[in-house]
Amino acid sequence: MSPKTESYTAALTGIVGKDAVEEKPQVTVAGKSPSLRVRPKSVEEVGKVLAFANENGLGVIPTGSGTKLETGNPPEKFDLLLDLTGLDQIVEYDAENLTIAAQAGVRVKDLVELVTKDELFFPVDPAFPGEATIGGVVATSDNGPKRFQHGNLRDVVLGVKVVLPNGELVKFGGRTIKNVSGYDVTKMMIGSMGILGVIVEATFRLLPEPQREDILVHAFPKLSEVTKLAGQVLDSVLVPSSLELLSPAARKLIKGVASDFAVGEYLLVVGLEGHPDAVVRQEQDLTSMCANLAPNRTALVVGGDYVAEGKEASEREVTCQIHDHGEACNCETVTDQATVDSLWEEIYNLERTAKEAGYAVAAKVAVPLAQVWEMAAAAEKSAAANGVQIAYKISAGNGLLNLYMQGDNEKVLAVLEDLRTLAQKREGSLVLKSTPLFNGSFEVWGEPQGTHISLIRATKAKYDPNGVLNVGRYVGRI
Amino acid sequence: MIDQSVIQELKGIVGEDNVLHNKADLQTYEYDAYLEKSLPDAVVFVNSAQEVSDVVKVANRAQVPFVARGRATNLSGGVLAMRQGIVIELARMDRIIDIDIENQRMIVEPAIYNLEVTGAIDNLGYYYAPDPASGKACSIGGNVGEDAGGPHCFKYGVTSNHVLGMEVVLPDGEITWLGGKALDTPGLDLTGVFVGSEGTLGIATKLVLRILHKPEAVKTMLAVYDSIDDASSSVSAIVSHKMVPATLEMMDNLVIQAIEQSMAAGFPLDAAAVLLIELDGLKDGMEEMADKIVEICKENNVREIKVATCEAERAALWKGRKGAFGAIARLSPNYLVADGTVPRTKLPETLRMCREIGDKYGLRVANVFHAGDGNLHPLILFDSRNPEDKEKVLKAGMEMLQVCADMGGTVSGEHGVGIEKAMAMYMVYNEKDLLAQEWVKEAWDPQDLANPGKILPQRLIKREEAHVS
């Protein structure tokens, strides 16, 4: 250990205490490891640690549970891993006014459990909810299938508190839905990947828990059928909360209720929330639409806990009126909230399941809604031509394609290049989410499209003039 | 005064007829819907992003400030040329560029009226959600500048939730795109920070809007109350019964009187408050929800509740609300509207305190507000011909904003800070917070030419320094 590192250790121990400093932690980010992991227990400590790093020109990467640590270019400098899991307090929970303010290290799952007790709903459903922290979710703007109905982080975060690289604590936004007092820096912090400051607290909008939540699962033999269906649904009065498609390979990674479907088929997973009558009505409409496009298929309705007013829990019935449609469609129902939750869980954790199954590379394609199908078809074609195996999930209501790939590095790169070129032609982008194989040889974010890189650079220079936070990891290697 | 050579350059870009620089002509452009005035040096009518860019480049060379102006309905002095310079009049840039149903997007130029956007896609079954009450008079560009809200925000969010990208002329004259039709763009959310920046970060010349499929069914109800507290309790009870109505709008007695004098919307003159409730979505379950709401309102001592049975009745109920600000003219020649927002449950207390402030200054306060999202609009009535009145009204307005801030809310919900509320920013932010906001302006506009002297108190131009006509 160099004398310099020793003096850093001593100084940081002085700030956060001996237990909160770990030398040579077993963490790598794109092949680089930090000298120290520091785990402050308060916002004040975060401020002092950052001020110290700022004065000494140390490279800092903030993290929560580390579920997205792989996203980004290799760091230019990486001395400290700033572990924020010690900031685990709910700061202000106002159930009546439907807001909650929590510290960065609070896990999504814990927050969901807390508000569910009051029959409220946290409108954010990111990947790995069991581990993901709210600070990480906000910094990476990571959201899941239900984003279709409830919006992205930028639509539900009302304000943030941020420790700037100079150690100062500042706040942006507030706790009301409407707030135009000053520049909306909150928006800029969401998805900023920690390049401007360390998000230590965020205030979210909550919603009343939906009266009923069901999932409708339907299998399709061809991608073209689902493409048609999604177009019809999006151009209808129906309001599903999510519209997800699993490719045949991705469907194989899913266990539980959805795994009974025929191998080799595309699986459409539709989330439905709201008034029970509206949920059932949508199940009927969707099933007819599916049956028209792909007859003689089996649909599965997974119904959540719902007790009709004036009935006992034992009388709970998830009405599968879909049977009324007769021969066109066979329909099965499963009726408990645990099954609904576990199906979502499988989908939220798909990236990890895919990785464990050998799909080492994950990428996200974002394009205008209707173009996502062309992207999926192109991915299949390019993967086949290059001998690369892919599994993918489409969020049809959001125009997102999450892609998991395995194969020779060069071949995988060729597929990625193909898809990025096409996505950019369609006014979209391709971002590499996990990059263990390339170590900087592929531009993670792509050349910025539709973004003025000099503005991002100028903004970074204002907030982090000494280059402390996540240096080199962002768009344009900022 | 700007140099004659600058005027000549401007004429070279847009033509002789499209530059105003005589005092009489300029006076039309010295005010907006706020109480102050400031005379610009020149007004330039532009017709394309390229012309905007060329004009901004001239402003840069001459180091003259510029202000974008659309329909000028701004309530906080947002389009006043506080350091004179060039007003860039965008009114002619009101075209629809693209209607893209498949991707649920629309691209428009900034001066298109808010209502015209929905008007253009209505027959395709789509609409644009943000609906400020002034929709027929205000432009989308202005909505973006102020991050405008409206009655439907409780369910659908504000302008920034529906603007996904834009073509922008930056303060140095460069034309660039931020965001786009896709939902996620790598890099900082510059679109997000531009929306609500009140023209201080550049001029948007095209806007990519999210458009939504029209709901299958809409149910509009009007509940009449003998007390504001009962109306407020009804709102809380509706939300706690797991319902998210599209709108929850409240109007108090003074506003009711103004509306009835102006357009006879059918509101009872002696009611303490009326609550306009609208549900939208699938028709299934809607009757049941409406019945539940009626029941909740009855439990909270509603005097009567009307449910619109057809589109004409619905339009009639809305007409009163949408015309509320205009109707105030029946009561008083001028008003100042405070635009604070509080957590919803603090509304009754906040309203009471606002009334007390009005009483203290001997000013009448009318109230029309978005009860669902806690955005109140105390309209302080006065006569601007009486200078004492104006001073009192400004003081009363600031005190009301302080009340909102103290209640855990904020000083501007949807009208913007402009010059009006710049000093009120200290009520919700400290010096460090404001410095961190200042960095945004510095990064985008280091020369401080784009709509200078707005939003941030440290940048506010003192009245004595400003050239007042």
Side-chain angles (χ1 to χ4, degrees), chain B residues 52 56 66-68 88 90 110 167-171 194 199 201-205:
Chain B
V52 174
V56 168
F66 58 87
V67 186
I88 300 179
L90 296 162
E167 180 192 68
V168 177
V169 175
L170 294 173
F194 190 95
L201 303 182
I203 300 174
T205 44

Side-chain angles (χ1 to χ4, degrees), chain B residues 406-427:
Chain B
D406 293 345
M407 291 286 172
T410 194
V411 295
S412 187
E414 57 183 10
H415 296 168
V417 174
I419 53 171
E420 181 206 7
K421 302 180 206 82
M423 293 312 288
M425 290 282 279
Y426 287 123
M427 298 174 188

Side-chain angles (χ1 to χ4, degrees), chain A residues 147 183 205 235 281 450 463, chain B residues 126 154 177 184 200 284 436:
Chain A
R147 166 180 175 181
Y183 293 102
R205 207 188 155 173
D235 193 26
R281 187 291 193 67
Y463 285 81
Chain B
Y126 284 78
F154 179 54
W177 271 92
D184 295 347
T200 65
D284 310 79

Side-chain angles (χ1 to χ4, degrees), chain A residues 94-98 119 141 147-148 152 154-156 164 166 168-185 187-192 195-196 205 207-211 234-239 275 277-279 281-282 306 309 364 366-371 397-400 426-431 445-446 448-452 454-456 458-460 462-463 474-475, chain B residues 101-105 126 146-147 149-151 153-155 158 160-161 163-164 170 174 176-179 181-193 195-198 200-201 210 213-216 239 242-244 282-285 288-289 292 339 341-345 370 373 375 407-417 425 428-429 432-433 436-437 439-444 455-456:
Chain A
D94 185 348
E96 261 194 302
N97 284 307
L98 302 174
E119 301 189 338
S141 190
R147 166 180 175 181
F148 180 34
N152 202 7
R154 77 197 294 280
D155 304 307
V156 298
L164 299 169
N166 64 13
E168 302 277 16
L169 174 70
V170 292
K171 76 159 184 182
F172 303 111
R175 47 186 279 213
T176 54
I177 296 171
K178 283 182 182 165
N179 186 350
V180 297
S181 310
Y183 293 102
D184 195 352
V185 184
K187 293 268 186 312
M188 202 168 62
M189 289 292 163
I190 296 167
S192 64
I195 67 155
L196 303 178
R205 207 188 155 173
L207 290 167
E209 197 176 50
Q211 290 184 56
L234 292 175
D235 193 26
S236 76
V237 294
L238 303 185
V239 282
H275 190 281
D277 293 352
V279 169
R281 187 291 193 67
Q282 294 191 81
Y306 164 66
E309 210 161 308
K364 181 177 105 172
V367 285
L369 295 185
Q371 269 65 56
N398 304 319
L400 302 177
R426 298 289 176 264
E427 299 177 49
S429 60
L430 179 146
V431 170
W445 309 95
Q449 297 281 311
T451 305
H452 202 279
S454 62
L455 279 176
I456 300 180
T459 306
K460 169 77 173 175
K462 288 287 171 193
Y463 285 81
Y474 203 47
V475 180
Chain B
I101 294 296
E102 186 182 55
N103 290 313
Q104 302 190 349
R105 301 287 181 267
Y126 284 78
E146 305 303 312
D147 192 5
C153 300
F154 179 54
K155 179 167 178 183
V158 296
S160 67
N161 307 113
V163 174
L164 301 169
L170 294 173
E174 187 184 336
T176 191
W177 271 92
L178 313 173
K181 283 183 180 177
L183 279 184
D184 295 347
T185 311
L188 297 178
D189 185 358
L190 299 179
T191 306
V193 81
V195 176
S197 65
E198 307 192 13
T200 65
L201 303 182
R210 181 207 304 268
H213 202 285
K214 281 199 283 190
E216 181 182 39
V239 176
K242 300 190 173 185
M243 287 182 277
V244 183
L282 291 172
K283 63 181 186 333
D284 310 79
E288 193 188 305
M289 283 192 277
K292 185 79 208 168
D339 176 41
T341 299
V342 295
R344 193 188 61 249
T345 53
H370 310 296
D373 54 43
N375 183 201
M407 291 286 172
T410 194
V411 295
S412 187
E414 57 183 10
H415 296 168
V417 174
M425 290 282 279
V428 280
Y429 297 114
K432 286 170 193 165
D433 302 334
Q437 289 195 27
W439 290 339
V440 173
K441 173 72 170 167
E442 286 174 0
W444 288 65
I455 304 180
L456 298 170

Side-chain angles (χ1 to χ4, degrees), chain A residues 85-203:
Chain A
T85 53
L87 300 182
D88 58 357
Q89 302 299 305
I90 302 290
V91 181
E92 188 173 25
Y93 174 30
D94 185 348
E96 261 194 302
N97 284 307
L98 302 174
T99 58
I100 190 163
Q103 286 191 323
V106 171
R107 291 185 306 172
V108 169
K109 176 171 165 273
D110 295 335
L111 202 152
V112 168
E113 274 172 16
L114 176 71
V115 304
T116 305
K117 281 185 202 143
D118 294 322
E119 301 189 338
L120 297 180
F121 174 74
F122 180 57
V124 183
D125 62 337
F128 321 122
E131 297 138 81
T133 59
I134 65 118
V137 167
V138 174
T140 57
S141 190
D142 187 47
N143 209 351
K146 296 178 190 175
R147 166 180 175 181
F148 180 34
Q149 177 165 5
H150 302 294
N152 202 7
L153 271 304
R154 77 197 294 280
D155 304 307
V156 298
V157 174
L158 304 174
V160 288
K161 285 190 180 162
V162 173
V163 175
L164 299 169
N166 64 13
E168 302 277 16
L169 174 70
V170 292
K171 76 159 184 182
F172 303 111
R175 47 186 279 213
T176 54
I177 296 171
K178 283 182 182 165
N179 186 350
V180 297
S181 310
Y183 293 102
D184 195 352
V185 184
T186 307
K187 293 268 186 312
M188 202 168 62
M189 289 292 163
I190 296 167
S192 64
M193 301 297 291
I195 67 155
L196 303 178
V198 175
I199 297 163
V200 289
E201 184 186 317
T203 302

Side-chain angles (χ1 to χ4, degrees), chain B residues 65-368:
Chain B
F66 58 87
V67 186
R69 185 179 174 104
R71 304 299 177 182
T73 56
N74 188 283
L75 290 158
S76 52
V79 294
L80 299 184
M82 293 311 290
R83 258 176 34 203
Q84 294 69 58
I86 303 165
V87 165
I88 300 179
E89 170 58 84
L90 296 162
R92 291 175 188 171
M93 292 178 65
D94 62 352
R95 287 158 286 227
I96 293 169
I97 306 294
D98 184 14
I99 296 175
D100 183 355
I101 294 296
E102 186 182 55
N103 290 313
Q104 302 190 349
R105 301 287 181 267
M106 192 161 160
I107 302 181
V108 299
E109 288 188 331
I112 187 168
Y113 289 109
N114 173 289
L115 272 188
E116 282 180 343
V117 174
T118 291
I121 49 178
D122 184 69
N123 62 343
L124 301 169
Y126 284 78
Y127 76 111
Y128 173 66
D131 61 338
S134 56
K136 62 182 177 190
C138 65
S139 68
I140 289 291
N143 292 175
V144 168
E146 305 303 312
D147 192 5
H152 282 81
C153 300
F154 179 54
K155 179 167 178 183
Y156 291 101
V158 296
T159 297
S160 67
N161 307 113
H162 298 269
V163 174
L164 301 169
M166 53 182 72
E167 180 192 68
V168 177
V169 175
L170 294 173
D172 64 0
E174 187 184 336
I175 303 173
T176 191
W177 271 92
L178 313 173
K181 283 183 180 177
L183 279 184
D184 295 347
T185 311
L188 297 178
D189 185 358
L190 299 179
T191 306
V193 81
F194 190 95
V195 176
S197 65
E198 307 192 13
T200 65
L201 303 182
I203 300 174
T205 44
K206 286 191 186 75
L207 299 151
V208 183
L209 311 179
R210 181 207 304 268
I211 54 176
L212 302 177
H213 202 285
K214 281 199 283 190
E216 181 182 39
V218 179
K219 186 138 263 194
T220 309
M221 290 164 264
L222 185 82
V224 180
Y225 291 87
D226 291 323
S227 106
I228 288 190
D229 285 7
D230 284 337
S232 301
S233 313
S234 303
V235 169
S236 287
I238 289 166
V239 176
S240 68
H241 276 81
K242 300 190 173 185
M243 287 182 277
V244 183
T247 49
L248 286 159
E249 295 286 295
M250 219 192 288
M251 288 155 274
D252 76 356
N253 179 269
L254 212 45
V255 171
I256 292 168
Q257 299 209 19
I259 291 172
E260 285 307 309
Q261 282 181 37
S262 156
M263 65 191 80
F267 299 162
L269 280 171
D270 61 339
V274 293
L275 182 61
L276 188 63
I277 308 161
E278 189 162 282
L279 291 168
D280 69 2
L282 291 172
K283 63 181 186 333
D284 310 79
M286 191 168 282
E287 285 299 330
E288 193 188 305
M289 283 192 277
D291 291 347
K292 185 79 208 168
I293 286 177
V294 170
E295 193 184 307
I296 289 170
C297 292
K298 284 182 179 162
E299 279 166 16
N300 287 282
N301 311 316
V302 72
R303 183 206 292 184
E304 61 168 305
I305 182 161
K306 288 184 214 169
V307 181
T309 54
C310 62
E311 184 52 36
E313 281 184 29
R314 174 178 176 255
L317 294 182
W318 268 109
K319 195 179 159 204
R321 168 61 187 92
K322 296 256 176 182
F325 276 28
I328 296 298
R330 297 272 169 164
L331 301 181
S332 165
N334 302 86
Y335 65 81
L336 176 76
V337 52
D339 176 41
T341 299
V342 295
R344 193 188 61 249
T345 53
K346 305 279 190 192
L347 269 175
E349 197 182 343
T350 309
L351 294 170
R352 211 160 22 244
M353 292 175 79
C354 287
R355 256 197 319 275
E356 283 166 17
I357 292 168
D359 290 347
K360 186 172 91 181
Y361 287 101
L363 295 163
R364 287 186 298 167
V365 181
N367 238 310
V368 46

